[in-house]
Amino acid sequence: MSVPAARWQPGAAPLDVAANGHATVVYATGASDADLEQALHVLASRRSKEGAEPIVLLFQEQPARAKDLAARIDRLVPSLGA
């Protein structure tokens, strides 16, 4: 992936819901929309029979960009949907 990301095993709700016990945080603040979309596709491909892992996108001081992505995410990366 071309955006900074880290995977860890959260020990508390609501991020401890993944079947494999992992979650990923992506620092999306400096990423272009194309790089972020590519990263989300990579993360979506990790879905398994056990389920998906939570993905946290961090948009530092960019609430409008976060809101815009939330409105478009189902269309951009359909496999991230429920």
Side-chain angles (χ1 to χ4, degrees):
M1 285 191 310
S2 59
V3 296
R7 193 169 181 225
W8 86 103
Q9 290 183 294
L15 296 177
D16 63 345
V17 297
N20 64 5
H22 289 92
T24 300
V25 64
V26 176
Y27 186 71
T29 300
S32 69
D33 287 345
D35 286 344
L36 187 55
E37 185 176 343
Q38 186 270 338
L40 291 172
H41 280 286
V42 169
L43 293 170
S45 72
R46 291 184 182 167
R47 292 183 78 127
S48 67
K49 292 178 183 173
E50 294 87 34
E53 60 186 50
I55 300 168
V56 178
L57 299 175
L58 177 61
F59 289 98
Q60 190 173 4
E61 298 182 15
Q62 294 181 329
R65 188 169 178 215
K67 186 176 180 179
D68 178 59
L69 180 62
R72 298 181 303 128
I73 197 141
D74 287 339
R75 192 174 62 242
L76 290 174
V77 189
S79 59
L80 285 179

